[in-house]
Every structure is written in C-alpha cells, then in structure tokens.
C-alpha cells in the first residue's frame, strides 16, 4: 500500500510538472500562436491576420512600438482634418472653372465668348500659381505617407518573423496521431475490401 501511495505521489508530481511546463510555454508563446480554445474564441472576434495579431501582441509589450503605433494612428486620423480646408478650397475653384467653361460654350456671341474665355483662362493660370506651393506640400505628404506605410508593413514582418521561426522550431507536433489515423484507414480499407470480396464471390 505504501508503495502504491508513493507511486501515486510520483504520478501527481509528474502531471503537475507537465502542467507547469505547459503554462510556462503558453506564457512565452504569443496568444496568436497558441492553439487553445480561449485563443480560438478571441481570434473569431478580432482580426484574422496572423501578422497583425502577432504585431499587436508585440506592441503591447514594447513601449517604443506602442509609441510608434500611437503616433502613426494620430497622423492617419489627423491627415484628413489637416488637408480638409485646402481640399474644399481647391475643389470649389475647380468646380467653378469647369462650370465656367460649360457656360462659355453656350454663349453665341463669339467676341463676348472669346473675351470671357481669355479672362477665365488668365484667372486659372493665376490660381494655379497661387496654390502651387500647397499642391507641392500635399504631394510631399502623400509620398511620405506611402513611405511610412511601407516602413510600418516592413516593421510588422521583421518584428514577427523571429516569432514564427521560434514557433517552427519549438512546436512541430510528432507524427503519432497522423500515423494512428493512417493505421485506422488501412484497417478500414482492409475490412471493407474483405467484406466486399466476400459478397461478390
């Protein structure tokens, strides 16, 4: 009986150690790479993009990444507001010139039409000169936004790549369940073949 008690204690200790090791591994492994039920529930609610999930996890643990993410979000949210006034101003002017050209075409008096056409053309040229610096700034901002987006995407891949490499190294499952499945299939095939042949003979 004493021997059985010792054996039981050893079993409990072994299982406790395995549970502790599993919990430790789960803490070290990003949630997005864990295959437990809790993550499956979370993933259904959130993004299905693995890199986005891995990067979000990295951001939550790195103050520099978090500061960058907040800065980028602030820039993106503020971009529309920052450009809004000029966009409206420019759009209204462009709408006017388009409408003016349409109206000028309806004027039957050729001299009057020519005079007004010259007037509008001159003003359009003056307007384009006036807003040229604004347009250059907007063009520069758009180009810089493309660069920022590219760098953010590159950062997401570069920061998450070591995580997937680590996962590949440490989490490759053994072939036991696959081999068992193959064995079961082979047995089922053999039984089905035997039953089939017994009915056809």
């Amino acid at each position: 009986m004493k021997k059985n008690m010792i054996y039981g204690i050893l079993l409990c200790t072994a299982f406790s150690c395995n549970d502790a090791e599993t919990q430790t591994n789960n803490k070290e492994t990003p949630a997005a790479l864990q295959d437990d039920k809790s993550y499956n529930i979370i993933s259904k609610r959130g993004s299905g993009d693995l890199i986005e999930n891995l990067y979000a996890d990295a951001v939550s643990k790195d103050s520099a990444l978090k500061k960058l993410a907040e800065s980028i979000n602030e820039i993106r949210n503020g971009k529309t507001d920052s450009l809004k006034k000029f966009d409206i101003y420019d759009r209204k002017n462009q709408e006017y010139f388009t409408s003016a050209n349409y109206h000028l075409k309806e004027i039957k008096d050729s001299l009057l039409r020519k005079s007004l056409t010259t007037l509008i053309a001159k003003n359009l040229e003056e307007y384009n000169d006036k807003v040229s610096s604004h347009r250059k700034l907007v063009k520069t901002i758009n180009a810089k936004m493309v660069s920022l987006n590219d760098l953010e995407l590159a950062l997401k891949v570069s920061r998450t790549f070591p995580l997937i490499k680590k996962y590949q190294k440490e989490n490759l499952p053994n072939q036991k369940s696959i081999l068992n499945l193959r064995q079961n299939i082979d047995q089922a095939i053999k039984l089905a073949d035997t039953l089939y042949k017994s009915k056809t003979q």
Side-chain angles (χ1 to χ4, degrees):
M1 185 175 179
K2 186 177 181 181
K3 184 177 180 180
N4 290 338
M5 288 179 63
I6 294 173
Y7 181 65
I9 292 171
L10 288 173
L11 276 177
C12 290
T13 303
F15 281 116
S16 296
C17 290
N18 287 336
D19 289 343
E21 184 178 352
T22 300
Q23 291 174 4
T24 301
N25 288 337
N26 284 341
K27 287 181 180 179
E28 293 177 352
T29 303
L33 292 177
Q34 294 179 21
D35 57 0
D36 57 25
K37 294 180 181 179
S38 61
Y39 175 68
N40 290 335
I41 295 172
I42 294 171
S43 63
K44 289 178 182 178
R45 297 174 183 170
S47 170
D49 189 314
L50 183 57
I51 285 182
E52 291 293 339
N53 287 330
L54 286 172
Y55 186 72
D57 187 61
V59 167
S60 69
K61 299 173 182 176
D62 188 313
S63 59
L65 288 179
K66 186 175 182 180
K67 183 177 180 181
L68 175 63
E70 291 173 349
S71 176
I72 291 175
N73 287 334
E74 185 177 344
I75 289 170
R76 285 180 178 144
N77 293 333
K79 179 174 179 284
T80 301
D81 289 338
S82 297
L83 300 179
K84 184 177 181 180
K85 287 185 178 180
F86 177 69
D87 286 343
I88 293 174
Y89 174 82
D90 190 41
R91 185 172 67 251
K92 292 295 183 182
N93 278 279
Q94 296 301 328
E95 287 176 358
Y96 178 83
F97 290 125
T98 300
S99 181
N101 287 329
Y102 173 79
H103 282 76
L104 290 174
K105 290 178 182 179
E106 298 298 314
I107 296 176
K108 306 304 180 186
D109 188 319
S110 59
L111 291 177
L112 181 59
R113 184 174 63 249
K114 184 177 180 180
S115 175
L116 287 172
T117 299
T118 301
L119 178 68
I120 294 299
K122 182 180 179 182
N123 182 253
L124 176 59
E125 184 178 347
E126 292 173 348
Y127 173 74
N128 286 332
D129 287 340
K130 181 182 294 186
V131 299
S132 62
S133 62
H134 286 71
R135 287 175 175 168
K136 286 179 181 178
L137 276 174
V138 172
K139 186 177 180 180
T140 299
I141 286 172
N142 289 333
K144 287 183 179 295
M145 285 300 299
V146 170
S147 297
L148 179 59
N149 291 337
D150 285 348
L151 283 170
E152 184 188 27
L153 291 171
L155 183 61
K156 287 179 178 181
V157 173
S158 65
R159 281 302 182 102
T160 57
F161 182 70
L163 299 176
I164 196 64
K165 287 285 288 182
K166 185 174 183 290
Y167 178 79
Q168 291 168 357
K169 180 181 179 181
E170 298 178 357
N171 292 273
L172 177 65
N174 61 46
Q175 298 181 358
K176 184 178 179 180
S177 62
I178 303 174
L179 291 172
N180 287 339
L181 176 61
R182 186 182 70 177
Q183 184 180 359
N184 291 337
I185 293 172
D186 289 341
Q187 291 174 351
I189 289 174
K190 184 177 180 180
L191 178 59
D193 186 58
T194 299
L195 294 174
Y196 170 75
K197 289 178 178 178
S198 67
K199 290 295 182 179
T200 56
Q201 290 178 353

